Coordinates of all heavy atoms in Angstrom, one line a residue:
R1 N 13.8 -9.1 3.2 CA 13.0 -9.2 1.9 C 13.8 -8.8 0.7 O 13.6 -7.8 0.0 CB 11.8 -8.2 2.0 CG 10.9 -8.3 3.2 CD 10.0 -9.6 3.2 NE 9.4 -9.8 1.9 CZ 8.3 -9.2 1.5 NH1 7.7 -8.3 2.2 NH2 7.8 -9.5 0.3
E2 N 14.8 -9.6 0.5 CA 15.8 -9.3 -0.5 C 15.2 -9.2 -1.9 O 15.6 -8.3 -2.7 CB 16.9 -10.4 -0.6 CG 17.7 -10.4 0.7 CD 18.7 -11.6 0.8 OE1 18.9 -12.3 -0.1 OE2 19.2 -11.7 2.0
E3 N 14.2 -10.0 -2.3 CA 13.6 -9.9 -3.6 C 12.9 -8.6 -3.8 O 12.9 -8.0 -4.9 CB 12.7 -11.1 -3.9 CG 11.4 -11.2 -3.1 CD 11.5 -11.4 -1.6 OE1 12.5 -11.8 -1.1 OE2 10.5 -11.1 -0.9
L4 N 12.2 -8.1 -2.7 CA 11.5 -6.9 -2.8 C 12.5 -5.7 -2.9 O 12.3 -4.7 -3.6 CB 10.6 -6.8 -1.5 CG 9.6 -5.7 -1.5 CD1 8.6 -5.8 -2.8 CD2 8.8 -5.8 -0.3
I5 N 13.6 -5.7 -2.1 CA 14.6 -4.7 -2.1 C 15.2 -4.6 -3.6 O 15.3 -3.5 -4.1 CB 15.7 -5.0 -1.1 CG1 15.1 -4.8 0.3 CG2 16.9 -4.1 -1.3 CD1 16.0 -5.4 1.4
A6 N 15.4 -5.8 -4.2 CA 15.9 -5.8 -5.6 C 14.9 -5.2 -6.5 O 15.3 -4.5 -7.5 CB 16.3 -7.2 -6.0
W7 N 13.6 -5.4 -6.3 CA 12.6 -4.8 -7.2 C 12.6 -3.3 -7.1 O 12.6 -2.6 -8.1 CB 11.2 -5.4 -6.9 CG 10.2 -5.0 -7.8 CD1 9.8 -5.5 -9.0 CD2 9.2 -3.9 -7.5 NE1 8.8 -4.8 -9.6 CE2 8.4 -3.8 -8.7 CE3 9.0 -3.0 -6.5 CZ2 7.3 -2.9 -8.8 CZ3 8.0 -2.1 -6.6 CH2 7.2 -2.0 -7.7
Y8 N 12.7 -2.8 -5.8 CA 12.8 -1.4 -5.6 C 14.0 -0.8 -6.3 O 14.0 0.3 -6.8 CB 12.6 -1.0 -4.2 CG 11.2 -1.1 -3.6 CD1 10.9 -1.9 -2.6 CD2 10.2 -0.3 -4.2 CE1 9.6 -2.0 -2.1 CE2 8.9 -0.4 -3.7 CZ 8.6 -1.2 -2.7 OH 7.3 -1.3 -2.2
N9 N 15.2 -1.5 -6.1 CA 16.4 -1.1 -6.8 C 16.2 -0.9 -8.3 O 16.6 0.1 -8.9 CB 17.5 -2.0 -6.6 CG 18.1 -2.0 -5.2 OD1 18.7 -3.0 -4.7 ND2 18.1 -0.8 -4.5
R10 N 15.5 -1.9 -8.9 CA 15.3 -1.8 -10.4 C 14.4 -0.7 -10.7 O 14.4 -0.2 -11.9 CB 14.7 -3.1 -10.9 CG 15.6 -4.3 -10.8 CD 15.1 -5.5 -11.6 NE 13.9 -6.1 -11.1 CZ 13.8 -6.9 -10.1 NH1 14.8 -7.4 -9.5 NH2 12.6 -7.4 -9.7
N11 N 13.6 -0.2 -9.8 CA 12.7 1.0 -10.0 C 13.3 2.3 -9.5 O 12.5 3.3 -9.3 CB 11.3 0.7 -9.4 CG 10.6 -0.3 -10.2 OD1 10.0 0.1 -11.3 ND2 10.6 -1.6 -9.9
G12 N 14.6 2.3 -9.3 CA 15.3 3.6 -9.0 C 15.5 3.9 -7.5 O 16.0 5.0 -7.2
Y13 N 15.1 3.0 -6.6 CA 15.3 3.3 -5.2 C 16.6 2.7 -4.7 O 17.0 1.7 -5.2 CB 14.1 2.6 -4.4 CG 12.8 3.4 -4.6 CD1 12.0 3.2 -5.7 CD2 12.4 4.3 -3.7 CE1 10.9 3.9 -5.9 CE2 11.2 5.1 -3.9 CZ 10.5 4.8 -5.0 OH 9.3 5.5 -5.2
V14 N 17.2 3.4 -3.8 CA 18.5 3.0 -3.3 C 18.5 2.9 -1.7 O 17.8 3.8 -1.1 CB 19.7 3.9 -3.8 CG1 19.9 3.7 -5.3 CG2 19.5 5.3 -3.4
A15 N 19.2 2.0 -1.2 CA 19.3 2.0 0.3 C 20.1 3.1 0.8 O 21.2 3.5 0.2 CB 19.9 0.6 0.7
T16 N 19.7 3.8 1.8 CA 20.4 5.0 2.4 C 21.5 4.6 3.3 O 22.3 5.4 3.7 CB 19.4 5.9 3.1 OG1 18.9 5.2 4.2 CG2 18.3 6.3 2.2
G17 N 21.4 3.3 3.8 CA 22.3 2.9 4.9 C 21.7 3.0 6.2 O 22.2 2.4 7.2
A18 N 20.6 3.7 6.3 CA 19.9 3.9 7.6 C 19.1 2.6 7.9 O 18.6 2.0 7.0 CB 19.0 5.1 7.6
R19 N 18.9 2.3 9.2 CA 18.1 1.2 9.6 C 17.2 1.6 10.7 O 17.5 2.6 11.4 CB 19.0 0.1 10.2 CG 20.1 -0.5 9.3 CD 19.6 -1.6 8.5 NE 20.6 -2.1 7.5 CZ 20.6 -3.3 7.0 NH1 19.6 -4.2 7.4 NH2 21.4 -3.7 6.1
E20 N 16.0 1.0 10.8 CA 15.1 1.3 11.8 C 14.6 0.0 12.5 O 14.5 -1.0 11.8 CB 13.9 2.0 11.3 CG 14.2 3.4 10.7 CD 12.9 4.1 10.2 OE1 11.8 3.6 10.3 OE2 13.1 5.2 9.6
P21 N 14.4 0.0 13.8 CA 13.9 -1.2 14.5 C 12.6 -1.7 14.0 O 11.7 -0.8 13.6 CB 13.9 -0.9 15.9 CG 13.8 0.6 16.0 CD 14.5 1.1 14.7
F22 N 12.3 -3.0 13.9 CA 11.0 -3.5 13.6 C 10.1 -3.3 14.8 O 10.5 -3.7 15.9 CB 11.1 -5.0 13.2 CG 9.8 -5.5 12.6 CD1 9.5 -5.2 11.2 CD2 8.9 -6.2 13.4 CE1 8.4 -5.7 10.7 CE2 7.7 -6.6 12.8 CZ 7.4 -6.4 11.5
P23 N 8.9 -2.8 14.6 CA 8.1 -2.5 15.8 C 7.5 -3.7 16.5 O 7.1 -4.6 15.8 CB 6.9 -1.6 15.2 CG 6.8 -2.1 13.8 CD 8.2 -2.4 13.4
A24 N 7.6 -3.8 17.8 CA 7.0 -4.9 18.5 C 5.5 -4.5 18.7 O 5.2 -3.4 19.1 CB 7.7 -5.0 19.9
S25 N 4.6 -5.4 18.3 CA 3.2 -5.1 18.5 C 2.4 -6.4 18.5 O 3.0 -7.4 18.1 CB 2.7 -4.1 17.3 OG 2.5 -4.9 16.2
D26 N 1.2 -6.3 18.8 CA 0.3 -7.4 18.7 C -0.3 -7.6 17.4 O -1.1 -8.5 17.2 CB -0.8 -7.3 19.8 CG -1.6 -6.1 19.7 OD1 -1.3 -5.2 18.9 OD2 -2.5 -5.9 20.5
V27 N 0.0 -6.8 16.4 CA -0.5 -6.9 15.1 C 0.5 -7.6 14.2 O 0.2 -8.6 13.5 CB -0.8 -5.5 14.5 CG1 -1.3 -5.6 13.0 CG2 -1.8 -4.8 15.3
H28 N 1.8 -7.2 14.2 CA 2.8 -7.7 13.3 C 3.6 -8.7 14.2 O 4.4 -8.3 15.0 CB 3.7 -6.7 12.8 CG 3.0 -5.5 12.1 ND1 2.3 -5.7 11.0 CD2 2.9 -4.2 12.5 CE1 1.8 -4.5 10.6 NE2 2.1 -3.6 11.6
I29 N 3.3 -10.0 14.1 CA 3.8 -11.0 14.9 C 4.9 -11.8 14.2 O 4.6 -12.6 13.3 CB 2.7 -12.0 15.5 CG1 1.6 -11.2 16.1 CG2 3.3 -13.0 16.4 CD1 0.3 -11.9 16.3
P30 N 6.2 -11.6 14.5 CA 7.3 -12.4 13.9 C 7.2 -13.9 14.1 O 6.8 -14.3 15.2 CB 8.6 -11.8 14.5 CG 8.2 -10.5 15.0 CD 6.8 -10.7 15.5
I31 N 7.4 -14.7 13.0 CA 7.3 -16.2 13.2 C 8.6 -16.7 12.6 O 8.7 -17.8 12.1 CB 6.1 -16.8 12.5 CG1 6.0 -16.3 11.0 CG2 4.9 -16.5 13.3 CD1 4.9 -17.1 10.2
T32 N 9.7 -15.9 12.6 CA 11.0 -16.4 12.1 C 12.0 -16.1 13.2 O 11.8 -15.3 14.0 CB 11.3 -15.6 10.8 OG1 12.6 -16.0 10.4 CG2 11.4 -14.1 11.0
N33 N 13.1 -16.9 13.1 CA 14.2 -16.6 14.0 C 15.1 -15.5 13.5 O 16.0 -15.1 14.3 CB 15.0 -17.9 14.3 CG 14.2 -18.9 15.0 OD1 13.3 -18.6 15.9 ND2 14.4 -20.2 14.7
Q34 N 15.0 -15.1 12.3 CA 15.8 -14.1 11.7 C 15.5 -12.7 12.4 O 14.3 -12.4 12.6 CB 15.5 -13.9 10.2 CG 15.9 -15.1 9.4 CD 15.5 -14.8 7.9 OE1 14.3 -15.0 7.6 NE2 16.4 -14.4 7.1
P35 N 16.5 -12.0 12.8 CA 16.2 -10.7 13.4 C 15.6 -9.8 12.3 O 16.1 -9.7 11.2 CB 17.6 -10.2 13.8 CG 18.6 -10.9 13.1 CD 17.9 -12.2 12.7
L36 N 14.5 -9.1 12.6 CA 13.8 -8.2 11.7 C 14.1 -6.8 12.0 O 14.1 -6.3 13.1 CB 12.3 -8.4 11.7 CG 11.8 -9.8 11.4 CD1 10.3 -9.9 11.5 CD2 12.3 -10.3 10.0
E37 N 14.5 -6.0 10.9 CA 14.6 -4.6 11.0 C 14.3 -4.0 9.6 O 14.2 -4.7 8.7 CB 16.0 -4.2 11.4 CG 17.1 -4.6 10.4 CD 18.5 -4.2 10.9 OE1 18.7 -3.4 11.8 OE2 19.5 -4.6 10.2
F38 N 14.1 -2.7 9.6 CA 13.8 -2.0 8.3 C 15.1 -1.4 7.8 O 15.9 -0.9 8.5 CB 12.8 -0.9 8.5 CG 11.4 -1.4 8.8 CD1 10.8 -1.1 10.1 CD2 10.6 -2.1 7.9 CE1 9.5 -1.5 10.3 CE2 9.3 -2.5 8.1 CZ 8.8 -2.2 9.4
I39 N 15.2 -1.5 6.5 CA 16.2 -0.7 5.8 C 15.5 0.5 5.2 O 14.3 0.4 4.8 CB 17.1 -1.4 4.8 CG1 16.2 -1.8 3.6 CG2 17.8 -2.6 5.3 CD1 17.0 -2.1 2.3
V40 N 16.1 1.6 5.2 CA 15.5 2.8 4.6 C 16.0 3.0 3.1 O 17.2 2.9 2.9 CB 15.8 4.1 5.4 CG1 15.2 5.3 4.8 CG2 15.4 3.9 6.8
M41 N 15.0 3.2 2.2 CA 15.3 3.3 0.8 C 14.8 4.7 0.3 O 13.8 5.2 0.9 CB 14.8 2.2 0.0 CG 15.3 0.8 0.4 SD 14.7 -0.5 -0.7 CE 15.8 -0.3 -2.1
E42 N 15.4 5.2 -0.7 CA 14.9 6.5 -1.2 C 15.1 6.6 -2.7 O 15.9 5.9 -3.3 CB 15.6 7.7 -0.5 CG 17.0 7.9 -0.8 CD 17.6 9.1 -0.1 OE1 17.1 9.5 0.9 OE2 18.6 9.6 -0.7

């Protein structure tokens, strides 16, 4: 979500370098071939 990350950057949030796995569930169903993970911002 590069455009969203850029918006948070403009609002003072920075990436910490930490990553978290995207949760596998029956609610959030990936429909892309891109690997999904979370970046941590603060």
Side-chain angles (χ1 to χ4, degrees):
R1 305 289 314 283
E2 293 172 13
E3 72 292 343
L4 194 56
I5 293 165
W7 185 82
Y8 282 120
N9 285 151
R10 290 192 300 275
N11 284 282
Y13 288 80
V14 295
T16 65
R19 303 267 177 161
E20 293 180 5
F22 190 81
S25 78
D26 55 357
V27 178
H28 310 293
I29 305 162
I31 55 170
T32 178
N33 292 328
Q34 295 174 281
L36 299 180
E37 65 179 347
F38 288 115
I39 67 163
V40 179
M41 300 185 79
E42 71 178 26

